[in-house]
Amino acid sequence: MTELFGTNGVRGIANDELTPELVMKLARSLATFLGDGRIAIARDTRVSGEMLKKAAITGTQSTGLDVVDIGEAPSPCLQYYVKENDFDSGIIITASHNPAEYNGVKFVDGDGVEYSHKQLEEMERIYKKEIFQYADWSNPGNHSYDDAIPMYIRAIKQKIDIESILEENPKVVVDPGNGAGCFVTPYLLRQLGCKVVTLNSQPDGLFPAREPEPLPKNIEDLADTVEAVGADLGVAHDGDADRATFVDEKGKPHMGDVSLVLFFKKMLKTKEGNKVVTPVSSGKKASKPVEELGGEVVWTEVGSTTVSRKMIELGDECVCGGEENGGVIFPDFQYCRDGALTAARMIELLSTTEKTLSELANELPQYKHVKTKTKVQDKQRIMKKVFKKIEGMGECTQTIDGAKIFWEDSWILIRPSGTEPVVRVFTEAPSLEEAKELARKGLEIVEETKEE
Ligand code: MG
């Protein structure tokens, strides 16, 4: 990973860590890296968004590249717009699921997918050496505006079985959490034939109603509303609406692992190809149903970009991919997480089966997860020892990203944090007691290496 760009671009508290000067220089680095061409830009609803977007636009224009501004829009909308309109790159001003004071800058390639490590390293080199391209005074890049949302909504509708949804006319509560999903999902779902009830659906970059991350603990109001209005489903997005998580008809919020595996099953049954892609932090809950259908799980490092890149590599063999946090990638639309499409596909899935979300969730293998962490001085040194220590443990081990030890129905994953001086331990087992026991065991392995 580069020093500047983390797994999801450059993030920080606006006007403190993430200043307009920094954003302008980052945009110049991207534009210098490209040398020529057109860039599209969008932002989420954060209050610092407009200021930082303008800095990025100025940086781009100063290098002589043209920039098209689509205003406030979900990240996947910008990504689709870039891909479909032959842009050379896209800039998204967003801090995704982080709290309101944060913002971030994310760059995507001409195919709408986040750049590879290698490409970002080159941009970082340009940034550090300040070898920026400058346009002649008479010829700065052009700045124009466009509205990308109508084409994005139209394109999603073309991928969905609207007839089935119209027949069912489901009642859906949408909670974009005052983020960029406000501009798309309520309108899209209404056009698909749903009775839409909205919650936190006016854009507000202070995120007054809830934290932007669509975790069960943050979407209790949505859960209550689903129950109160007797809805069939609740949908929640994060700040830039590339993720969607769901509340079932009984008012129970589900983690993203439930919807992910339901999509894996659906796509394996309806599309050609037998592979799905997910990071090593996903578990048996995802892999068991896939294997039962004759499919194969391809594991990757943690991070949606590595999932996207692996899916592109697999091509037609791969039917679906995603993470356990509500980020789902449908390769028949685009190779990035897409919250609005995920919401539409869930409604389609429920309208074409005779079952409710709670029934479908109950049919899945039931596993419990534990996530814990421990502070360490030197992550890399500790991990080297951990890799040695796990050799021969369990039935097999895997070192794609961190150290993973498998037993028939359970596993431990020991992984250094990308951002903090900690090593994380994730476990999965059929019962909470077993998962906790494995977490203790995982921590013990790390603690022992500290003492050596
Ligand atoms: Mg996001």
Side-chain angles (χ1 to χ4, degrees), residues 11 75 94-97 106 238-243 337:
R11 293 256 177 99
S75 295
T94 176
S96 190
H97 63 270
K106 191 153 112 169
D238 67 333
D240 65 331
D242 59 350
R243 286 160 59 179
R337 295 177 295 191

Side-chain angles (χ1 to χ4, degrees), residues 39-56:
I39 295 177
I41 188 166
R43 70 173 181 96
D44 66 19
T45 59
R46 286 161 202 277
V47 286
S48 59
E50 191 62 22
M51 171 185 79
L52 296 175
K53 187 188 75 184
K54 283 175 180 159

Side-chain angles (χ1 to χ4, degrees), residues 45 223 240 246 294 312-313 330 372 422 447:
T45 59
D240 65 331
F246 299 96
I312 292 169
E313 192 188 310
F330 296 100
T372 177
V422 300
E447 296 300 331

Side-chain angles (χ1 to χ4, degrees), residues 285-324:
K285 195 168 196 160
S287 62
K288 211 167 185 176
V290 167
E291 282 152 12
E292 279 167 9
L293 285 171
E296 184 192 329
V297 178
V298 178
W299 304 101
T300 69
E301 286 173 38
V302 173
S304 73
T305 309
T306 56
V307 176
S308 292
R309 294 275 165 215
K310 178 54 88 180
M311 290 175 72
I312 292 169
E313 192 188 310
L314 292 170
D316 293 342
E317 287 176 68
C318 177
V319 295
C320 192
E323 304 165 301
E324 80 292 354

